[in-house]
Amino acid sequence: MAHSGPMTDWRKAKLPVFAFLAPATIIYTLFMIYPLIDSIRLSFYATPSGGEMAFVGFDNYRTILGDPDWSATFWNSFWNNMKFFAVHMLVQNPIGIALAGILSLPQLRFRNTYRTMMIMPTMLSVVIVGFIWQLILSPVWGVGVDILDIFGLKSLFGPWLGKEGSALITLSFISVWQWVGIPLMLIYAALLAIPDDLVDAAIVDGATHFEVFLHIKLPLVLPTVAMVSILTFVGNFNAFDLIYAVKGALAGPNFSTDIMGTLFYRTFFGYQLQLGDPSLGATVASLMFLIILAGVLFYLFAVQRRLARYQL
């Protein structure tokens, strides 16, 4: 019998690679790529009352961005989303960096306990988190006023979730509390990858732990910090569940907590007296995708290329 030769062995070696990639590729295409493409396609169609779906070009986009009623609602949700993102960038990520730096201290005791406690909120259901914080911040039976009273700050307590000026910021801080463990663990893992020789040499030269973190560790983990920032951007502009769980689809009071996720929900599925319109809903979803895409491209071409890469 003739020998099959090295070509057959090469094909046999390559077959498992395709076999492993195919299921993930099929599932990702079916549940991610196809819905995205179909949503964009649907945004170019409209269904007149009692009629069949017809191609309308960019009319839906003109309606969302140009109609006085729709544009006011859209830009309100967009700027609320920007505020939501800004709180996470200015509060969540710096806290994550600081906590990661503290956990990386070699003399810190019970670090595993602290790490577990900080990551635990991320494992809770958003519905449970929203319900718990509603109970805590309730001006009627909440314990928030009692906690502030212990520190002599009772006069600062108010119905923060019920005021237009504070509801969105309060929900942002609740989200920060729940998800701060994600940037913490990512940055902490990057800090652990820094060779001990660099840290030891700096300490021998007289640097404090704070100086070591500020001048050695932090520059080395900047690529990870940038990655956390873009993940925060994408996650915040896909946010929906916390706002819906606490304030409902109307994102009250008076749409002051309305973000693009809740706007999409009301537009696509309808809510109370507002009828759902799948075409306009798909248009909102497509605009969300374009905003996220613009942010990701900005990160790739304007931020990532400028980051200094250090060979450890």
Side-chain angles (χ1 to χ4, degrees):
M1 187 168 106
H3 189 269
S4 57
M7 183 61 70
T8 304
D9 295 336
W10 178 83
R11 288 175 179 172
K12 289 181 179 180
K14 287 295 182 181
L15 182 59
V17 176
F18 295 106
F20 280 113
L21 287 177
T25 303
I26 293 172
I27 293 174
Y28 186 80
T29 302
L30 183 62
F31 292 101
M32 295 295 293
I33 298 178
Y34 171 72
L36 173 62
I37 295 175
D38 196 55
S39 294
I40 296 174
R41 179 197 64 82
L42 184 59
S43 68
F44 294 103
Y45 287 81
T47 305
S49 300
E52 296 183 356
M53 183 175 292
F55 181 79
V56 294
F58 288 95
D59 285 355
N60 290 329
Y61 291 90
R62 296 189 186 98
T63 299
I64 294 294
L65 299 175
D67 182 87
D69 294 330
W70 278 106
S71 64
T73 303
F74 174 81
W75 289 114
N76 174 64
S77 65
F78 171 78
W79 288 116
N80 284 342
N81 232 138
M82 289 296 293
K83 295 174 186 176
F84 194 72
F85 167 65
V87 171
H88 284 77
M89 281 294 296
L90 298 177
V91 179
Q92 173 185 276
N93 292 351
I95 290 177
I97 294 172
L99 292 176
I102 294 173
L103 287 176
S104 66
L105 293 175
Q107 69 271 26
L108 182 67
R109 300 176 61 188
F110 309 114
R111 74 175 65 196
N112 292 335
T113 302
Y114 299 143
R115 186 174 58 196
T116 302
M117 293 175 60
M118 293 172 187
I119 201 68
M120 279 183 63
T122 64
M123 297 183 287
L124 296 176
S125 165
V126 176
V127 176
I128 295 176
V129 170
F131 180 73
I132 290 174
W133 279 100
Q134 277 185 294
L135 293 179
I136 294 174
L137 298 176
S138 171
V140 180
W141 56 73
V143 298
V145 62
D146 298 323
I147 295 174
L148 289 178
D149 191 28
I150 295 174
F151 300 97
L153 301 174
K154 183 178 180 179
S155 60
L156 298 179
F157 185 81
W160 295 319
L161 287 174
K163 294 182 177 179
E164 292 185 25
S166 60
L168 180 64
I169 300 300
T170 304
L171 287 170
S172 301
F173 281 121
I174 294 174
S175 178
V176 166
W177 173 84
Q178 182 178 13
W179 299 112
V180 69
I182 299 301
L184 162 66
M185 296 309 297
L186 291 172
I187 296 169
Y188 177 65
L191 289 173
L192 292 181
I194 297 176
D196 294 334
D197 295 344
L198 294 176
V199 178
D200 294 340
I203 293 177
V204 168
D205 288 340
T208 64
H209 285 290
F210 178 75
E211 291 173 335
V212 169
F213 176 78
L214 188 63
H215 299 293
I216 296 178
K217 291 184 176 181
L218 186 58
L220 291 174
V221 299
L222 279 181
T224 302
V225 173
M227 181 190 68
V228 168
S229 299
I230 193 61
L231 290 177
T232 302
F233 176 80
V234 174
N236 288 164
F237 271 86
N238 278 316
F240 164 77
D241 41 12
L242 179 63
I243 306 295
Y244 184 79
V246 177
K247 308 304 293 183
L250 291 178
N254 194 26
F255 300 103
S256 60
T257 59
D258 194 21
I259 58 177
M260 301 200 70
T262 49
L263 173 62
F264 162 74
Y265 178 88
R266 290 197 314 275
T267 306
F268 193 96
F269 297 103
Y271 191 77
Q272 294 184 356
L273 298 179
Q274 179 179 341
L275 298 178
D277 189 327
S279 296
L280 287 178
T283 305
V284 174
S286 299
L287 290 171
M288 291 172 62
F289 167 72
L290 292 175
I291 292 170
I292 294 172
L293 180 63
V296 172
L297 291 176
F298 174 79
Y299 163 74
L300 291 176
F301 293 102
V303 178
Q304 191 177 49
R305 289 186 175 183
R306 297 177 181 270
L307 290 175
R309 299 289 180 167
Y310 296 86
Q311 296 295 329
L312 300 181

